Amino acid sequence: MIAVIKDLFSIPVVSAVVLTIIGAITKKYIQFHRRDFFSRSSSEQIKAVEWLRTSSAPTSDPLAKAEQQFCLQSFGLHKDRDLSYKIICFYSEHAQSLIPSLKAVLRYQGMYTIADGNIYPHKFHKWFIPFVLICLLLFIGSEIYRGSSQSDGIEILKSLFVFVVAFIVWCWVAVCALKVSSISKKLNSYIPPASGFKSSTYDFSSILNNRYP
């Protein structure tokens, strides 16, 4: 079975189609954004927070909504204003150790859906990611067995190299999915402070709500 699959992939047309499908799926469900809000300088972050404070809630006007989404994404935030608002307030009131998880939310926006400012990771991740790992293990196991039975050390090394690269990619996707899943529960249960609430600190949440000591 593995040999048949390898023969199919050796055909240029088949490999091109498969790579195109994989690329389309990756673009839809990963949507990598390198320059997220937390990767910006302090001055850029403050500028983004000040703009978000003066911005209004999304309107029914499609042009105004598109302009707002463009501005949010230009600051490295999510195009959903409610979610961006919640992320900044959450970030200013919780431990800095949660920043990597918040980065994952902003960088891999295709890993979840949004409703009312809450994020919901795709349910198929729970079975699809382990399924891919099982396929990788079956592949490397069969290749090592075939190579050892034929005493072909070069083929074994090639298979191991392919497996290591694929396993590194799998680990990256699994870690990102785990970060998004873990932070989604905290974000969804978090309620940003109401406007007018007094605080003794000058954090981003205070700037957003215009509540100074």
Side-chain angles (χ1 to χ4, degrees):
M1 183 64 182
I2 300 295
V4 173
I5 295 175
K6 290 179 66 177
D7 291 337
L8 286 175
F9 274 105
S10 64
I11 302 174
V13 176
V14 175
S15 59
V17 171
V18 172
L19 289 175
T20 302
I21 294 174
I22 293 175
I25 294 174
T26 302
K27 183 178 180 181
K28 179 178 180 180
Y29 291 108
I30 299 297
Q31 294 182 11
F32 178 70
H33 298 263
R34 184 175 64 86
R35 288 279 291 163
D36 61 88
F37 172 80
F38 300 103
S39 300
R40 309 293 178 97
S41 63
S42 299
S43 59
E44 289 181 287
Q45 290 183 352
I46 292 174
K47 188 182 297 184
V49 172
E50 289 177 341
W51 177 88
L52 188 58
R53 184 183 68 174
T54 57
S55 66
S56 58
T59 62
S60 57
D61 184 1
L63 289 178
K65 186 175 182 180
E67 181 182 2
Q68 185 181 78
Q69 291 179 347
F70 176 80
C71 290
L72 286 167
Q73 291 182 312
S74 68
F75 287 122
L77 294 167
H78 197 281
K79 63 181 181 180
D80 185 275
R81 181 184 179 276
D82 294 336
L83 178 58
S84 295
Y85 188 95
K86 181 183 288 189
I87 286 175
I88 292 178
C89 289
F90 182 89
Y91 158 64
S92 65
E93 296 182 4
H94 289 77
Q96 301 294 301
S97 59
L98 294 176
I99 289 180
S101 296
L102 294 175
K103 278 188 173 184
V105 172
L106 293 176
R107 288 189 174 189
Y108 313 115
Q109 299 176 14
M111 286 190 163
Y112 54 87
T113 56
I114 306 173
D116 300 324
N118 294 331
I119 61 177
Y120 301 96
H122 296 298
K123 294 182 178 179
F124 68 83
H125 286 171
K126 295 181 180 179
W127 62 265
F128 182 72
I129 294 178
F131 173 75
V132 172
L133 179 61
I134 293 173
C135 291
L136 286 176
L137 293 175
L138 289 175
F139 169 78
I140 188 61
S142 62
E143 288 298 298
I144 290 177
Y145 175 78
R146 187 174 66 86
S148 61
S149 62
Q150 297 177 358
S151 300
D152 193 343
I154 296 178
E155 282 297 321
I156 294 177
L157 290 177
K158 287 181 179 179
S159 300
L160 284 174
F161 175 76
V162 172
F163 172 77
V164 169
V165 173
F167 184 71
I168 291 174
V169 174
W170 180 88
C171 289
W172 170 67
V173 174
V175 169
C176 292
L178 184 61
K179 287 180 179 179
V180 171
S181 178
S182 62
I183 198 66
S184 66
K185 300 174 183 178
K186 297 178 181 179
L187 275 175
N188 292 347
S189 61
Y190 172 74
I191 300 176
S195 178
F197 177 76
K198 296 295 182 179
S199 173
S200 58
T201 59
Y202 292 95
D203 53 22
F204 284 154
S205 182
S206 299
I207 296 174
L208 276 175
N209 292 287
N210 195 23
R211 47 187 180 82
Y212 301 97

